[in-house]
Amino acid sequence: MAIAARCSQVFCKLFKIQVSNKRLLWIDLYPINGLHKDNIHMVCDRDSNKLEVYFNLNSMKYPFTKDDLDSIAYKLGMGILSQYVIIESGIIFILDESVNYPFYENTFSFMDIDQKERTITTDFPLLHHLQTELEVGTSIYFETHEIIRPNSAIVKNGIPMFDPQKLRQHQAFLIVNIIKSGGAIEVKLDNNNFIENATNIFNGMSLISSLPFYGNEKESSENGAAKIYLSASVEMGFINIVQVHRFDNTLLSKREIEEAIPKIQDSLGLSASFCVDTFWGVH
């Protein structure tokens, strides 16, 4: 579950995660941008320390090289693995049996579909390992459909999962303001050391490509705004971890968010020539 929870950071995508809890544990991750031919399939035997991971990413222009898979294996498994083996279209992880995973129980509070506060207490380890409010809300949404929307505010063990003041303490953060006025979409940025790094921009755009999922089906004639809160950090000195902590949107439709994506791209300074063949949903 800890490896599955890292996939959002490693692949810069938001996923629908399905867990089949039978004799064999199956974990399937599907990008929420609707590319359902793509998936990451994980399977392990309960009595084994071996986890098999297969990358069925049909939308990619180029297949993973061995170097790609080596990098992915290291990023997904650091601190968890004993060793790994590269196989065709995947990786076999041998989990480090000396790593101790205690019993986890967490309490999450959120607004339910009846707009009443709902609290659940669960020992589901996936929810424990997911790091951001948006990831947890998405997982609860797909598991129960009882949360008012997947990008809802969530309190974990009595503490809000997202704090805008703590976000501003990151060495690099970005707040994307999407403003709808008179039917027109405008984008403004609040940047702190985020867009100075090209990897942050590319990974951030890849994550933002998932966000139309959180838009409304119907459009409103009202003016309004949405905010995307991202941070970037470096772990072990080698990897840019970009995360979307919150997508604060109740008004904008899926189409309007899609319309905002190229405007965000322009605001980040990505030239049209660079992105002419770039469909962020598959990068």
Side-chain angles (χ1 to χ4, degrees):
M1 296 291 184
I3 289 174
R6 289 181 179 179
C7 284
S8 179
Q9 287 81 54
V10 172
F11 293 97
C12 296
K13 287 285 177 283
L14 294 166
F15 293 98
K16 173 184 179 180
I17 304 176
Q18 292 182 332
V19 179
S20 300
N21 196 3
K22 299 180 181 178
R23 186 185 69 82
L24 290 175
L25 180 65
W26 284 19
I27 306 173
D28 289 288
L29 296 90
Y30 300 92
I32 62 170
N33 60 13
L35 297 173
H36 292 300
K37 291 183 179 180
D38 289 356
N39 71 84
I40 301 171
H41 176 62
M42 303 183 180
V43 59
C44 70
D45 190 307
R46 293 186 168 281
D47 299 322
S48 171
N49 67 339
K50 180 176 72 174
L51 175 68
E52 299 175 40
V53 181
Y54 299 95
F55 304 105
N56 305 309
L57 305 176
N58 301 302
S59 68
M60 290 189 61
K61 292 182 179 180
Y62 308 104
F64 287 134
T65 66
K66 183 180 182 301
D67 286 345
D68 292 332
L69 291 171
D70 276 328
S71 177
I72 290 168
Y74 190 73
K75 293 172 185 177
L76 286 178
M78 57 183 177
I80 300 174
L81 299 186
S82 171
Q83 56 183 314
Y84 65 88
V85 179
I86 302 298
I87 57 176
E88 185 176 358
S89 299
I91 304 166
I92 295 176
F93 292 104
I94 307 301
L95 305 180
D96 187 346
E97 293 185 289
S98 69
V99 177
N100 180 43
Y101 292 94
F103 176 77
Y104 301 115
E105 187 172 81
N106 296 285
T107 299
F108 298 93
S109 300
F110 50 85
M111 296 294 290
D112 68 14
I113 55 176
D114 296 322
Q115 299 193 23
K116 297 179 180 178
E117 184 175 324
R118 177 175 170 79
T119 298
I120 60 172
T121 299
T122 177
D123 60 1
F124 187 33
L126 178 64
L127 289 183
H128 176 82
H129 290 292
L130 292 173
Q131 294 186 18
T132 69
E133 176 185 83
L134 191 61
E135 291 170 336
V136 170
T138 301
S139 185
I140 291 173
Y141 173 79
F142 282 122
E143 284 292 322
T144 70
H145 290 281
E146 293 177 354
I147 194 167
I148 191 169
R149 60 182 187 278
N151 52 323
S152 292
I154 296 176
V155 174
K156 179 181 179 180
N157 300 329
I159 300 172
M161 288 200 69
F162 176 74
D163 182 340
Q165 297 306 314
K166 286 186 177 179
L167 179 84
R168 291 182 176 275
Q169 295 172 10
H170 279 79
Q171 185 175 3
F173 69 82
L174 177 69
I175 302 172
V176 180
N177 297 278
I178 306 173
I179 303 159
K180 176 185 175 182
S181 179
I185 299 294
E186 181 183 2
V187 169
K188 294 183 178 180
L189 303 181
D190 181 356
N191 167 56
N192 183 72
N193 297 322
F194 188 96
I195 66 175
E196 287 72 18
N197 183 295
T199 302
N200 291 348
I201 295 174
F202 194 90
N203 292 347
M205 282 302 306
S206 184
L207 279 163
I208 288 168
S209 73
S210 298
L211 298 183
F213 170 81
Y214 300 94
N216 299 324
E217 294 294 340
K218 296 182 179 179
E219 294 186 12
S220 169
S221 59
E222 296 181 42
N223 294 334
K227 287 189 177 184
I228 307 166
Y229 297 86
L230 304 99
S231 72
S233 59
V234 177
E235 294 186 5
M236 300 182 68
F238 75 99
I239 176 172
N240 290 74
I241 300 293
V242 175
Q243 296 176 296
V244 177
H245 294 266
R246 170 178 283 182
F247 180 37
D248 192 0
N249 173 60
T250 57
L251 180 77
L252 298 186
S253 69
K254 296 178 186 296
R255 186 199 65 78
E256 289 166 333
I257 298 167
E258 289 172 351
E259 181 183 338
I261 288 176
K263 297 178 184 292
I264 296 170
Q265 171 186 293
D266 293 343
S267 297
L268 292 172
L270 293 173
S271 67
S273 59
F274 172 80
C275 299
V276 65
D277 294 323
T278 301
F279 173 44
W280 292 108
V282 300
H283 285 76

